[in-house]
Amino acid sequence: MALTPDFLSQIAMVLGVVGLGCFAWPIMMRLNGKAQAEPPGSGRSLRSPLWWAGFLLTIAAIFLQRIASQQASGG
């Protein structure tokens, strides 16, 4: 399986969607009242391990998209 620019773009899109889901899940749970809000100054707030996973997946998606666009332009 070759890593063509189209394939890399598709992987980047999947990682971006999963990353967005990881970002949005704690926020949606709090808005629905299913998660307790952390007290101010606790240092946790919304930055759970799921938030960090979303952050890293989003960074990986951006990185892959840049590689795909560079390959597509021949650079």
Side-chain angles (χ1 to χ4, degrees):
M1 178 183 274
L3 294 177
T4 63
D6 288 335
F7 184 66
L8 287 175
S9 291
Q10 290 173 353
I11 292 173
M13 183 64 72
V14 169
L15 288 177
V17 168
V18 172
L20 179 64
C22 289
F23 272 131
W25 186 255
I27 295 168
M28 293 305 297
M29 295 306 293
R30 186 174 292 178
L31 289 175
N32 289 334
K34 295 180 182 177
Q36 295 291 329
E38 294 291 326
S42 69
R44 287 192 63 206
S45 64
L46 290 175
R47 292 191 181 96
S48 65
L50 191 61
W51 186 93
W52 285 107
F55 179 75
L56 293 176
L57 287 171
T58 303
I59 295 296
I62 291 168
F63 181 71
L64 282 177
Q65 188 60 43
R66 289 188 60 157
I67 291 173
S69 68
Q70 287 176 354
Q71 286 183 357
S73 67

